């Protein structure tokens, strides 16, 4: 049996982040979660770090190391998304405060020290929120950049353009300077933009399948989805809502569910109008070198089958 891939999940939970974390923690054959680093994003840091601990407890994994990271983007004021995720970031079911403790120390130091400690090329970073913690680690300890195996992240858009502004996806928009550092880092990047996540939509049958698991995690996922869906259904008139962040973890488990192109992707940091845009050369109209595998398609039935089967293990 292949050894599981070592990952750090960097996250701003967020209901879809929560499902991603549950997917990772329910897949020990493929994934070893070295730690979870919280960042400010969907809601402020005190809530994202607390939510990360709630999710670990829900998965029966209070032993997972959870660290708090940056409370604001590198150079900008934090923009949050309570309009999507609710006041707590995990609105939907009522959840008790976690008992497990936050780790002492800063998430950025944990990322750096883990990359120093583990064999070079053995740790994959999985950012599910703004890229502040990752960029801060690269700025503080540039020698860790070459030790990262891969970064598989949720962020950006090309055909779908934007969700928080007409031209920018939330995670990139919140900290475009951090995104710019990551996209220029030279690390092997796999990007899950809105182009693919908007094809990973919930629907009645998919949510019913979570509920039918008859377990607490299954019920929580269904209730989170019920809450989270209303925003996108109203906005897009769609049947359900995209589970963005679980695409990152699903890619680690079953990359064959996804397809994309190796292309050049650059981040707009200057323009007020298009700030945070991922300028993706999907059609190869520039000579700029490819720096990312930009995913465009997913087998949505396969994705939801995987999610349901794995959440059912918890
Ligand atoms: C991304 O922004 C957040 O609202 C979600 O958790 C996801 O990471 C989608 O644009
Ligand atoms: Ca997120």
């Amino acid at each position: 049996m292949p050894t599981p891939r070592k990952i750090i999940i960097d996250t701003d939970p967020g209901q879809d982040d929560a499902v991603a974390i549950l997917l990772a923690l329910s897949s020990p054959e493929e994934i070893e979660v070295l730690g979870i680093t919280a960042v400010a994003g969907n809601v402020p840091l005190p809530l994202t770090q607390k939510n990360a601990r709630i999710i670990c407890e829900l998965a029966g994994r209070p032993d997972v190391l959870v660290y708090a990271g940056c409370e604001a983007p590198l150079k900008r004021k934090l923009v949050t998304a309570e309009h999507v995720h609710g006041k707590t970031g995990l609105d939907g079911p009522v959840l008790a405060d976690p008992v497990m403790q936050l780790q002492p120390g800063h998430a950025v130091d944990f990322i750096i020290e883990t990359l120093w400690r583990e064999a070079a090329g053995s740790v994959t970073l999985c950012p599910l929120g703004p890229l502040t913690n990752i960029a801060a680690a690269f700025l503080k300890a540039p020698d860790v950049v070459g030790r990262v195996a891969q970064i598989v992240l949720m962020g950006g858009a090309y055909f779908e353009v934007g969700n928080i502004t007409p031209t920018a996806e939330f995670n990139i928009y919140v900290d475009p300077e951090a995104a710019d550092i990551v996209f220029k880092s030279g690390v092997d990047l796999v990007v899950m933009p809105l182009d693919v996540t908007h094809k990973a939509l919930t629907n009645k049958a998919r949510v019913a399948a979570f509920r039918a698991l008859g377990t607490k995690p299954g019920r929580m996922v269904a209730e989170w989805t019920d809450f989270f869906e209303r925003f996108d259904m109203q906005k897009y008139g769609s049947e359900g809502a995209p589970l963005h962040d679980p695409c990152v973890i699903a890619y680690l488990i079953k990359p064959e569910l996804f397809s994309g192109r190796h292309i050049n992707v650059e981040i707009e940091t200057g323009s007020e109008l298009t700030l945070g845009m991922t300028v993706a050369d999907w059609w190869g109209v520039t000579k700029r070198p490819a720096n990312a595998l930009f995913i465009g398609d997913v087998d949505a039935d396969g994705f939801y089958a995987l999610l349901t089967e794995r959440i059912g293990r918890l």
Side-chain angles (χ1 to χ4, degrees), residues 211-262:
R211 196 169 269 114
L213 290 171
T215 59
K216 188 168 178 199
R219 210 172 58 243
M220 295 299 108
V221 170
E223 289 182 25
W224 280 328
T225 311
D226 285 343
F227 179 86
F228 182 71
E229 273 180 350
R230 91 227 173 276
F231 179 80
D232 287 272
M233 287 163 79
Q234 270 169 24
K235 181 176 169 188
Y236 298 109
S238 53
E239 204 191 342
L243 283 182
H244 305 278
D245 295 336
C247 289
V248 166
I249 307 298
Y251 177 82
L252 301 181
I253 302 170
K254 281 199 165 187
E256 63 275 17
L257 293 174
F258 298 89
S259 59
R261 293 187 184 184
H262 281 103

Side-chain angles (χ1 to χ4, degrees), residues 188-193 251 259-263 291-295:
D188 181 5
L189 288 185
V190 180
V191 178
M192 295 288 163
Y251 177 82
S259 59
R261 293 187 184 184
H262 281 103
I263 59 167
N291 59 343
L293 174 59
F294 201 76
I295 302 294

Side-chain angles (χ1 to χ4, degrees), residues 11-18 41-43 80-81 83-85 89 127-130 154-156 162-164 168-172 174 192-194 197-198 228 242-246:
T11 178
D12 62 337
Q15 293 88 350
D16 62 320
D17 302 71
N42 286 324
V43 285
T80 52
H83 60 293
V84 183
H85 301 273
L128 311 177
M154 191 279 138
N163 57 1
I164 187 76
E169 180 280 329
F170 180 79
N171 290 342
I172 306 295
V174 172
M192 295 288 163
L194 298 179
T197 68
H198 281 183
F228 182 71
L243 283 182
H244 305 278
D245 295 336

Side-chain angles (χ1 to χ4, degrees), residues 86-294:
K87 245 178 112 149
T88 66
L90 280 186
D91 276 22
V94 178
L95 298 157
D97 280 353
V99 176
M100 68 180 272
Q101 296 296 304
L102 189 64
Q103 294 297 308
H106 198 282
V108 169
D109 294 322
F110 170 74
I111 293 170
I112 292 169
E113 281 154 23
T114 304
L115 287 166
W116 277 339
R117 185 189 67 235
E118 299 290 335
S122 70
V123 177
T124 295
L125 304 178
C126 298
L128 311 177
L131 290 157
T132 318
N133 285 343
I134 309 298
F138 288 2
L139 288 171
K140 190 169 177 186
D143 62 318
V144 300
V145 176
R147 302 181 66 83
V148 178
Q150 193 173 47
I151 297 178
V152 186
L153 67 90
M154 191 279 138
Y158 178 64
F159 294 99
E160 292 287 306
V161 199
N163 57 1
I164 187 76
T165 76
T167 58
E169 180 280 329
F170 180 79
N171 290 342
I172 306 295
Y173 177 78
V174 172
D175 200 341
E177 283 76 20
D180 189 44
I181 289 169
V182 169
F183 277 76
K184 285 185 178 148
S185 67
V187 176
D188 181 5
L189 288 185
V190 180
V191 178
M192 295 288 163
L194 298 179
D195 304 346
V196 62
T197 68
H198 281 183
K199 292 174 182 158
L201 296 180
T202 58
N203 60 29
K204 282 205 173 68
R206 289 169 179 168
V207 178
F210 290 133
R211 196 169 269 114
L213 290 171
T215 59
K216 188 168 178 199
R219 210 172 58 243
M220 295 299 108
V221 170
E223 289 182 25
W224 280 328
T225 311
D226 285 343
F227 179 86
F228 182 71
E229 273 180 350
R230 91 227 173 276
F231 179 80
D232 287 272
M233 287 163 79
Q234 270 169 24
K235 181 176 169 188
Y236 298 109
S238 53
E239 204 191 342
L243 283 182
H244 305 278
D245 295 336
C247 289
V248 166
I249 307 298
Y251 177 82
L252 301 181
I253 302 170
K254 281 199 165 187
E256 63 275 17
L257 293 174
F258 298 89
S259 59
R261 293 187 184 184
H262 281 103
I263 59 167
N264 177 270
V265 183
E266 302 203 359
I267 311 294
E268 177 57 60
T269 56
S271 157
E272 226 174 278
L273 192 61
T274 61
L275 186 70
M277 186 172 191
T278 41
V279 181
D281 190 8
W282 184 262
W283 299 111
V285 294
T286 74
K287 295 266 181 294
R288 296 195 286 257
N291 59 343
L293 174 59
F294 201 76

